[in-house]
């Protein structure tokens, strides 16, 4: 890019140089004090000198909010980008990245991070130190595990992890209570995740409550203490239509696939009243207690929607 860019366009706010065959961006960008969006997709960036020196200290480093470098040749996250403390959106999809540096935690303002279509094998726990991160896209990589620290991303709304090598999910990820979208298809998730889910036997109070509700034992508020009347009102029906039972605090978490919008099959978490209660499954759903090796992909790929339960509430 020409060195006189800032003189010609001093008020430039958005610059799109995508698909122009650029191998370096050059120092002409550094003095653009109002540039907040830079799109440089599908170029030949990635070699030494691709990005101008002193990027973080220049006026551009303070003004830039959106940077898209997808479809280039970066083998690592350029250290110069870590100085862009005001950056809110960073896209480096379709490059040659093999990892995510722990120093990515320095991008404290980051809200959107797209790293799909690379060769990333692991996620650093430091990624959880991005307090504003709402959209994280890590699909189409070679990621084998999710660090439990990701549960600290309390602002996270969307997490894309499809087409990776995940074989299990940490339970901590269920703490992402604001998660609205989760994509886990195309991962070799195994039943171990589902089998690890614990089942606490019902208490005597719950057993009594279940009996009252399933046998329709009549009672009036004057017959029982107020706290027990309130407790009995909290009974949930078992989703197995052949069961007819209820549960209160003790239940079995199970995941099955359901059709979504007539197009996608998504794993959905639901709750059964006991381990012996099996719910009728769709052609793609599986039991959490007995499955063949070929079925394991369904069930724990299943784990997908355990969080997608968070998504669909």
């Amino acid at each position: 890019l020409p060195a006189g860019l800032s003189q010609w366009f001093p008020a430039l706010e958005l610059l799109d140089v995508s698909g122009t065959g650029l191998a370096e961006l050059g120092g002409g960008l550094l003095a653009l004090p109002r540039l907040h969006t830079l799109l440089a997709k599908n170029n030949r960036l990635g070699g030494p000198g691709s990005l101008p020196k002193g990027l973080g200290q220049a006026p551009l480093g303070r003004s830039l909010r959106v940077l898209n470098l997808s479809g280039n040749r970066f083998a690592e996250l350029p250290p110069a980008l870590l100085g862009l403390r005001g950056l809110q959106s960073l896209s480096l999809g379709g490059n040659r990245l093999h990892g995510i540096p722990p120093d990515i935690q320095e991008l404290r303002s980051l809200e959107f991070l797209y790293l799909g279509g690379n060769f990333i094998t692991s996620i650093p726990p430091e990624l959880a130190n991005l307090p504003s991160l709402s959209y994280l896209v890590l699909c189409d990589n070679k990621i084998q595990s999710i660090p439990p620290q990701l549960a600290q991303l309390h602002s996270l709304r969307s997490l894309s992890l499809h087409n990776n090598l995940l074989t299990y999910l940490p339970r901590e990820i269920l703490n992402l209570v604001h998660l609205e979208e989760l994509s886990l298809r195309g991962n070799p998730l195994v039943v171990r995740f589902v089998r690890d889910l614990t089942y606490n036997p019902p208490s005597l109070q719950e057993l009594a409550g279940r009996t009252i509700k399933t046998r329709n034992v009549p009672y009036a508020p004057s017959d029982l203490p107020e706290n027990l009347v309130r407790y009995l009102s909290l009974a949930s029906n078992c989703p197995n239509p052949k069961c007819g039972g209820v549960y209160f605090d003790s239940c079995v978490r199970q995941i099955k696939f359901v059709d979504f919008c007539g197009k996608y099959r998504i794993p959905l978490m639901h709750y059964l009243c006991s381990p012996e209660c099996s719910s009728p499954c769709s052609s793609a759903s599986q039991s959490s207690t007995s499955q063949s090796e070929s079925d394991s992909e369904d069930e724990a790929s299943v784990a997908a929607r355990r969080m997608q339960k968070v998504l669909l509430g």
Side-chain angles (χ1 to χ4, degrees), residues 38-51:
L38 175 58
L39 308 178
K41 302 179 293 180
N42 304 325
N43 283 299
R44 295 185 292 117
L45 301 170
S50 291
L51 301 180

Side-chain angles (χ1 to χ4, degrees), residues 176-258:
L176 297 173
V177 295
H178 297 297
L179 198 66
E180 298 172 353
E181 295 179 327
L182 175 66
S183 178
L184 287 169
R185 67 181 185 276
N187 281 284
L189 292 166
V190 296
V191 296
R192 182 180 61 198
F193 174 79
V194 177
R195 288 175 177 170
D196 279 348
L197 299 178
T198 58
Y199 171 70
N200 295 319
S203 63
L204 291 177
Q205 176 176 278
E206 173 150 351
L207 289 173
R210 290 187 180 196
T211 300
I212 291 173
K213 301 298 287 189
T214 55
R215 298 187 179 183
N216 295 316
V217 177
Y219 65 91
S222 57
D223 299 330
L224 299 170
E226 182 180 351
N227 64 314
L228 291 182
V229 173
R230 185 167 54 251
Y231 177 79
L232 290 171
S233 69
L234 299 177
S236 299
N237 293 321
C238 182
N240 181 1
K242 295 183 178 180
C243 171
V246 300
Y247 63 87
F248 294 86
D249 303 311
S250 177
C251 59
V252 176
R253 290 173 289 183
Q254 186 194 46
I255 310 169
K256 71 172 183 177
F257 276 81
V258 298

